Amino acid sequence: MFVVATAGHVDHGKSTLVRALTGMEPDRWAEERRRGMTIDLGFAWTTLPSGGTVAFVDVPGHERFVPNMLAGVGPVPAALIVVAADEGWMPQSAEHLAALDALGVAYGLVAVTRADLADPGPAMARARAEIAATSLGTVPAVAVSGLTGAGLPELRAALDRLAAGLPAPVVDDPVRLWVDRSFTVRGSGTVVTGTLGVGRLRVGDELELAGADEPVRVRGLHSLGEARPEVTAVARVAVNLRGTPRDRLGRGDALLTPGRFHRTDLVDVRLTGDPAADLPATLTLHVGSAAVPVRVRPLGPDTVRLRLARPLPLLVGDRALLRDPGRHHVTGGVRVLDVVPPPLARRGAAVARAQVLAELDGRPDLAGELRRRRLVRAGALIRMGVPVDAAPVAGDWLADPAHWRRLGEQVTEEVARYAREHPLEPGMPVDALRQRLALPDRVLVEALVRPPLRIHAGRVGAAGADALPEPVARAVQRVRAEYGDRPFRAPEADRLVDLGLGPREIGAAVRAGALLRLADNVVLLPDALDDAVRVLAGLPQPFTLSAARQALDTTRRVAVPLLELLDRRGATRRLPDDARIVVG
């Protein structure tokens, strides 16, 4: 199947032509048939001479219904531009063509209708000349009469050739189905329709509804009026959603492959058409079937920042158009350059941003994104529409290679600086280093630490950095020399000072495992606990505090916190009468 949208001035016979080609009535509303004018989108299909199928999205031609027309054209890859032989090129012919050009539609053909009423030559020549200057370029043209049927075989053959020239559909990409119609079917629930441009849908698939947090599930699929277990692009499709209320979604919403799209209300784009400086402050952005008011902030001659009234699932490279609804004027097309742009808070930031955008062409570029963002999660890039084929540096984080090398150098510098500023600490805390480097995730710090640095006990330092600073090491050695044969005697506070062990030095020695702290200003050598257990195990069980103090040859000042520490570690157990036993 291929899908084509009609385009052209009101009352030039678009619906009549679709009706003649398909035998189906594209006007769905009684009001449309009564007035003889298409108001909303219509849908019909037919088989071509080759055996392939063409599905039509028939759009209204009146200027009051241009938003409806754009909702139908937005997701469609080709256009059938209809011009009446007896009226020729008209204002809505021009606006519809401007919309197709803004959206970058590159495939189409011209049907000159009412060839039975006037010479089609002048209208055909004018239409082809107007179209040649747009993204469509030179297109074939066929003169037809929906009333008499003249030219219809030639038009069918031209549609066949158009279908053969379209790019092969991409069926493995994630789905983004822009909804152009939603309704309720008795006994089935909510049904939405749209043009599936890429990807595939299957019954049972779980999808995301843009703008909602909870998933939706595909209960059933229809295409060309038949139930299908699977539909692949490109196709018109109706999706029956399980358990989704009708008022939850409508035209302009989108069904998405979960986790593959970033919903954004701020985008930087490149313009075609009116210069950025000439744009009004508010316009309407048309993309897919959505129409969203936007505020416009010019950045460069052809680049602007758009603030959307509601988030949309946009990708880098998306084509859309801006329209001034007050003037009924298509101001031009846009190509999305960035769906997660940086804030412009500092003075001069807008000028600098314009310089960056001047180098972008809207084609997803992994190396360029990494260079600009420095560090970014792979999933975030994928949701922006940027293919990822590089290995993460840590977790799912990707890094610009040059930035990653600079960070590695900074790690060494910051750890050395911290060691100079905190000589008694055994390395720099990992979180402090993360904050100093402005890194968003601890795993990045861990990946950056390379020999001769290492991470030990939550700190980054040189291998062997648990060795104490020289003054502290000398002080500990004095303690060992003075109290080695009296392991359960603790130096008094004034003696600690004499030995060179103030609070900071004691803290450093304890962290390094060179001293054991029982209480404030009560420290022992680190092997005192094991020695104490051996001594206490030799006492009659249970034993009292007094017996323990005498056996350990120490003071109450040491014995009380020492036994309490042994209790906490499970080496001893305190009994109800305050006696203790050695456990195990």
Side-chain angles (χ1 to χ4, degrees):
M1 181 196 312
F2 90 103
V3 183
V4 61
T6 62
H9 196 74
V10 63
D11 201 31
H12 274 204
K14 297 184 293 298
S15 299
T16 299
L17 184 58
V18 170
R19 198 176 299 116
L21 285 167
T22 66
M24 303 174 69
E25 176 56 68
D27 288 337
R28 296 179 291 114
W29 308 114
E31 177 70 8
E32 293 177 306
R33 293 190 288 274
R34 185 184 67 79
R35 296 171 61 179
M37 181 177 71
T38 300
I39 297 172
D40 203 354
L41 302 177
F43 311 100
W45 59 88
T46 190
T47 301
L48 295 172
S50 66
T53 302
V54 57
F56 293 96
V57 180
D58 187 36
V59 307
H62 196 283
E63 67 176 4
R64 287 169 50 200
F65 306 119
V66 168
N68 290 349
M69 174 267 179
L70 294 174
V73 170
V76 173
L80 173 62
I81 302 169
V82 178
V83 182
D86 58 338
E87 290 191 358
W89 196 255
M90 296 289 283
Q92 288 312 114
S93 307
E95 185 171 12
H96 283 202
L97 179 61
L100 295 172
D101 184 37
L103 292 169
V105 177
Y107 301 91
L109 57 87
V110 174
V112 179
T113 57
R114 301 181 189 170
D116 56 319
L117 299 182
D119 176 9
M124 185 180 294
R126 171 72 185 279
R128 295 188 71 188
E130 295 283 349
I131 294 168
T134 70
S135 59
L136 286 151
T138 302
V139 296
V142 181
V144 298
S145 169
L147 184 63
T148 68
L152 290 182
E154 291 79 5
L155 181 56
R156 291 177 183 275
L159 287 166
D160 242 342
R161 291 190 293 272
L162 176 62
L166 291 174
V170 180
V171 299
D172 295 325
D173 276 8
V175 167
R176 178 176 49 174
L177 181 72
W178 292 102
V179 174
D180 53 36
R181 186 182 173 213
S182 64
F183 52 92
T184 301
V185 174
R186 185 185 298 274
S188 295
T190 300
V191 176
V192 299
T193 68
T195 299
L196 182 64
V198 297
R200 68 176 76 234
L201 287 170
R202 299 182 181 90
V203 173
D205 278 354
E206 185 175 277
L207 302 172
E208 289 179 352
L209 174 59
D213 292 333
E214 67 270 17
V216 296
R217 191 169 294 279
V218 177
R219 179 180 184 182
L221 293 170
H222 279 71
S223 186
L224 305 183
E226 297 182 2
R228 308 285 178 91
E230 175 179 298
V231 177
T232 58
V234 172
R236 286 293 304 172
V237 62
V239 185
N240 181 201
L241 297 173
R242 186 186 305 276
T244 304
R246 161 70 180 82
D247 58 5
R248 286 285 310 283
L249 73 175
R251 179 171 293 172
D253 287 320
L255 296 177
L256 312 170
T257 297
R260 296 301 299 271
F261 292 88
H262 174 73
R263 291 185 284 274
T264 180
D265 63 357
L266 191 69
V267 293
D268 288 347
V269 302
R270 171 157 290 113
L271 302 169
T272 59
D274 295 352
D278 294 344
L279 295 181
T282 58
L283 291 169
T284 299
L285 178 74
H286 293 266
V287 57
S289 61
V292 178
V294 296
R295 294 192 62 82
V296 181
R297 178 176 181 175
L299 296 175
D302 65 346
T303 53
V304 299
R305 175 161 292 187
L306 302 178
R307 172 73 69 177
L308 283 61
R310 65 179 176 92
L312 290 178
L314 300 180
L315 300 173
V316 172
D318 275 347
R319 299 295 296 262
L321 68 85
L322 290 170
R323 185 172 183 265
D324 186 341
R327 293 190 296 149
H328 302 288
H329 171 60
V330 174
T331 62
V334 303
R335 188 164 191 128
V336 176
L337 303 178
D338 195 341
V339 295
V340 190
L344 302 177
R346 299 191 308 274
R347 186 179 183 87
V351 173
R353 181 61 177 165
Q355 294 171 347
V356 171
L357 295 178
E359 300 175 358
L360 305 185
D361 59 8
R363 286 181 290 189
D365 171 27
L366 177 60
E369 291 293 340
L370 293 179
R371 190 166 55 252
R372 288 184 292 275
R373 300 182 190 280
R374 298 187 175 184
L375 286 167
V376 62
R377 292 186 184 275
L381 286 176
I382 290 170
R383 289 189 293 274
M384 296 178 205
V386 180
V388 172
D389 57 5
V393 294
D396 66 341
W397 287 97
L398 299 171
D400 172 58
H403 180 59
W404 191 247
R405 286 193 298 272
R406 288 193 296 271
L407 285 172
E409 296 167 359
Q410 282 183 266
V411 165
T412 303
E413 295 167 1
E414 295 296 343
V415 171
R417 179 183 294 113
Y418 192 89
R420 292 193 298 271
E421 295 170 354
H422 305 84
L424 297 181
E425 294 191 21
M428 184 175 187
V430 170
D431 279 339
L433 180 56
R434 182 186 65 79
Q435 293 171 16
R436 190 75 67 89
L437 298 176
L439 294 174
D441 195 330
R442 182 187 176 103
V443 299
L444 294 168
V445 178
E446 295 168 353
L448 283 165
V449 173
R450 308 273 175 80
L453 298 179
R454 66 165 184 164
I455 298 178
H456 178 69
R459 290 175 177 264
V460 182
D466 350 339
L468 288 169
E470 185 59 29
V472 180
R474 285 199 302 269
V476 170
Q477 188 57 38
R478 291 194 197 102
V479 172
R480 188 171 291 279
E482 189 169 328
Y483 294 90
D485 57 348
R486 298 176 295 164
F488 308 111
R489 291 295 184 101
E492 298 291 337
D494 56 351
R495 182 57 184 151
L496 288 172
V497 173
D498 292 342
L499 292 169
L501 289 171
R504 294 178 61 203
E505 289 77 9
I506 291 173
V510 169
R511 285 192 296 271
L515 289 178
L516 172 68
R517 190 202 308 265
L518 299 181
D520 288 344
N521 289 326
V522 180
V523 295
L524 299 178
L525 293 170
D527 47 4
L529 283 184
D530 292 338
D531 291 345
V533 171
R534 284 194 295 272
V535 171
L536 296 174
L539 292 175
Q541 305 292 310
F543 56 87
T544 63
L545 171 63
S546 177
R549 182 181 62 75
Q550 293 176 21
L552 296 172
D553 186 23
T554 188
T555 63
R556 183 181 180 87
R557 168 175 167 264
V558 174
V560 170
L562 176 59
L563 289 174
E564 289 175 348
L565 179 58
L566 291 174
D567 291 343
R568 290 196 298 273
R569 295 196 175 185
T572 58
R573 185 167 75 245
R574 189 171 182 176
L575 303 177
D577 62 355
D578 287 339
R580 286 178 170 82
I581 60 173
V582 175
V583 178

